[in-house]
Amino acid sequence: MEEVDFKPYETILTTSEDDEFVKILIKSTPKKIKEVVVISLYSDEINVVRCKGNLKSDMLEKSKTN
């Protein structure tokens, strides 16, 4: 899963601990984030969350500083 090419998505976070693996991906334009996908794998289940919309990229930068 770590070596899979998810284009046109950009990987924001990949983490692996014990029997849990999480990957967070975004699809964006220079000014907007169009989609966020969270993939969570456990030894006995798989969870996928997909959020679509138009979030301004600068809103994320502001939230990082607060």
Side-chain angles (χ1 to χ4, degrees):
M1 174 91 171
E2 291 184 38
E3 296 179 14
V4 175
D5 185 9
F6 288 98
K7 286 186 181 178
Y9 295 91
E10 175 186 353
T11 300
I12 297 302
L13 174 75
T14 300
T15 183
S16 181
E17 186 176 315
D18 297 330
D19 65 343
E20 179 185 13
F21 177 84
V22 176
K23 186 173 273 290
I24 300 175
L25 309 156
I26 64 167
K27 186 190 295 184
S28 63
T29 65
K31 294 192 177 195
K32 292 191 178 185
I33 295 173
K34 298 287 193 177
E35 194 171 340
V36 177
V37 178
V38 179
I39 302 168
S40 176
L41 305 174
Y42 297 91
S43 60
D44 60 344
E45 67 181 63
I46 298 171
N47 298 296
V48 177
V49 177
R50 182 177 176 215
C51 302
K52 293 182 83 170
N54 288 308
L55 179 63
K56 291 181 182 177
S57 296
D58 64 346
M59 289 175 64
L60 289 180
E61 292 301 319
K62 289 177 186 175
S63 68
K64 289 180 188 176
T65 59
N66 291 337

